[in-house]
Amino acid sequence: MPDDYFTPTIADLKARQQQLHARTVVLNNAPLLTRTQRDEQGKTKRDRWPNVRFPSPPLVDLGGCSA
């Protein structure tokens, strides 16, 4: 891909700024949550995704490759 593909245009920047502004307005106007409500929301998010544990230290199998 050409390098200018990764350079945002003025329209891209304006659209992103509008998205951020809209999100900020929603968050600022949202009601305050109690600790219990925050904990419940956090538990719901944690339950949605499994907890993945990787072996420590990582095992690397070079498959017989010689360097």
Side-chain angles (χ1 to χ4, degrees):
M1 299 198 121
D3 287 339
D4 63 342
Y5 175 80
F6 298 102
T7 304
T9 64
I10 298 289
D12 294 336
L13 295 174
K14 285 183 179 181
R16 182 63 179 147
Q17 181 63 34
Q18 287 176 348
Q19 289 173 344
L20 290 173
H21 178 71
R23 184 171 188 268
T24 301
V25 168
V26 167
L27 290 175
N28 284 337
N29 293 333
L32 296 177
L33 300 175
T34 64
R35 178 176 295 186
T36 305
Q37 290 171 324
R38 286 192 310 268
D39 291 345
E40 184 62 31
Q41 286 181 353
K43 182 181 180 308
T44 302
K45 286 181 183 180
R46 284 190 305 275
D47 291 345
R48 190 177 318 154
W49 298 100
N51 191 5
V52 178
R53 297 192 187 270
F54 294 98
S56 180
L59 302 175
V60 178
D61 182 16
L62 297 177
C65 294
S66 60

